Amino acid sequence: MDYARYIEFYRQGKFQEAVQYKATQIPTRLIKYYGLNENESINKSKIEYLKEQKIYLSSFSGFNDPFEGKFFRFDSTKLESHGWDKDMVKHYYHLIAENFRYTCLSDTDENNMPMWAYYANNHQGFCAEYLLCDTQKKYIFPVTYELERVAANVITTNLLYEYMEMKEQGRNYTDTSADANVYLQMMILSLAAKHKSWEHEKEYRIISFWDYFPAIPTKIYIGINCSEEHKKELIAAVKDIDVCKVYQMEIDEDSSEFGFKQKLIG
């Protein structure tokens, strides 16, 4: 996705055009891998969310990349030379990052063996496919993969200054300038940026203030090492979702390729 074009729409005050452009860059079909392990309380929650047609969103603390929410970097010396309290500026950015909730979807497919290993507990979990509409895509951001972190003194201090002025003038937070909207979008985009070594995951990130995100599963793929008990629970969870089909993943013993075959079971 061309985020420079997206930001330019915001710079021109064309917010709806920005949203519509981003929606065109997000696939209608995305998938998510889920692990199931010995923690039955967490397993039950995952299966219950599936039944309720929701995706659980969490803070960055549950992610496996230590650089989540740290794509922006700050030059403390320059901040202080311009009269800013470096700790306050950094705290402001991290406060924004911590207040959002996130989850990760992928534009790979159900045959991605590393994703089964990383995120479905070595094939013991399941993979869910979701079909997404434009309303849902408003909250989904394609992840960018970068070699270096971005210096963010100017972006963060300008946004902080704008909000300080708004407070002094008694303005509402919805009454922001075009520049403030640009800086805020840049900050949000920084929360959907990772190092280039993660590029193979083809990630799309839901970013919102909610604890869950409404999404109807259309296909469930059960891992080859999933227990019989969890398999039954998954089938039962989606039995009332008319559009959802359930498949059992199997190794294709007769194929020359390293791949799976899917057996329709529900």
Side-chain angles (χ1 to χ4, degrees):
M1 173 171 168
D2 184 355
Y3 272 129
R5 182 179 176 185
Y6 175 75
I7 289 296
E8 185 57 32
F9 278 126
Y10 267 93
R11 200 180 303 279
Q12 296 174 17
K14 298 178 179 179
F15 307 139
Q16 189 60 35
E17 287 88 341
V19 170
Q20 290 172 349
Y21 167 67
K22 182 165 69 67
T24 66
Q25 305 302 301
I26 298 170
T28 299
R29 170 199 178 275
L30 290 172
I31 64 171
K32 183 171 179 62
Y33 287 87
Y34 294 88
L36 298 173
N37 52 37
E38 66 280 356
N39 192 325
E40 288 303 330
S41 176
I42 294 178
N43 294 341
K44 184 177 179 180
S45 295
K46 291 177 181 178
I47 295 173
E48 189 64 24
Y49 269 99
L50 188 68
K51 180 179 180 180
E52 294 176 355
Q53 301 168 50
K54 301 174 182 176
I55 301 175
Y56 176 73
L57 275 60
S58 69
S59 65
F60 276 142
S61 61
F63 285 26
N64 60 357
D65 181 358
F67 281 95
E68 293 289 5
K70 297 180 176 66
F71 179 63
F72 275 0
R73 61 179 178 83
F74 299 92
D75 187 321
S76 298
T77 302
K78 287 184 178 179
L79 283 172
E80 290 180 335
S81 69
H82 287 84
W84 286 97
D85 182 327
K86 65 180 187 301
D87 293 328
M88 181 188 72
V89 173
K90 293 177 182 179
H91 175 72
Y92 176 67
Y93 174 65
H94 292 305
L95 188 65
I96 289 177
E98 290 167 5
N99 278 341
F100 279 109
R101 307 281 286 177
Y102 313 86
T103 199
C104 307
L105 303 172
S106 176
D107 189 26
T108 57
D109 60 36
E110 69 279 3
N111 290 305
N112 192 307
M113 285 185 280
M115 297 290 278
W116 277 105
Y118 299 157
Y119 301 110
N121 193 28
N122 195 24
H123 303 263
Q124 295 181 60
F126 64 99
C127 169
E129 174 189 282
Y130 301 95
L131 296 183
L132 305 162
C133 66
D134 284 352
T135 300
Q136 291 165 302
K137 290 178 182 181
K138 288 170 61 177
Y139 305 95
I140 301 175
F141 295 80
V143 169
T144 60
Y145 298 96
E146 312 292 343
L147 289 172
E148 295 181 341
R149 297 163 69 200
V150 166
N153 283 15
V154 173
I155 295 171
T156 309
T157 55
N158 272 280
L159 185 59
L160 185 53
Y161 180 76
E162 171 81 13
Y163 283 155
M164 289 167 66
E165 271 201 330
M166 288 171 63
K167 186 175 181 180
E168 288 180 2
Q169 297 169 5
R171 286 188 286 147
N172 294 323
Y173 283 104
T174 53
D175 183 24
T176 54
S177 67
D179 284 345
N181 280 310
V182 167
Y183 293 131
L184 179 58
Q185 286 302 310
M186 286 180 174
M187 293 189 81
I188 292 173
L189 296 183
S190 78
L191 305 175
K194 294 173 70 72
H195 184 257
K196 215 165 174 57
S197 58
W198 296 91
E199 196 168 20
H200 64 284
E201 295 190 352
K202 299 181 181 179
E203 184 182 335
Y204 290 77
R205 184 162 290 180
I206 298 173
I207 303 177
S208 82
F209 292 112
W210 308 322
D211 288 330
Y212 64 86
F213 187 80
I216 301 172
T218 51
K219 291 179 183 177
I220 302 296
Y221 300 94
I222 298 175
I224 59 174
N225 295 325
C226 185
S227 71
E228 282 300 316
E229 181 182 355
H230 289 152
K231 178 178 175 180
K232 291 177 183 177
E233 291 174 349
L234 287 166
I235 294 171
V238 300
K239 67 182 178 61
D240 293 328
I241 304 176
D242 293 339
V243 297
C244 188
K245 295 181 179 180
V246 182
Y247 298 85
Q248 174 65 59
M249 301 297 286
E250 298 177 345
I251 294 176
D252 191 349
E253 302 286 358
D254 298 326
S255 175
S256 61
E257 298 180 356
F258 289 91
F260 300 110
K261 59 182 180 180
Q262 302 86 31
K263 179 183 177 183
L264 181 64
I265 58 174

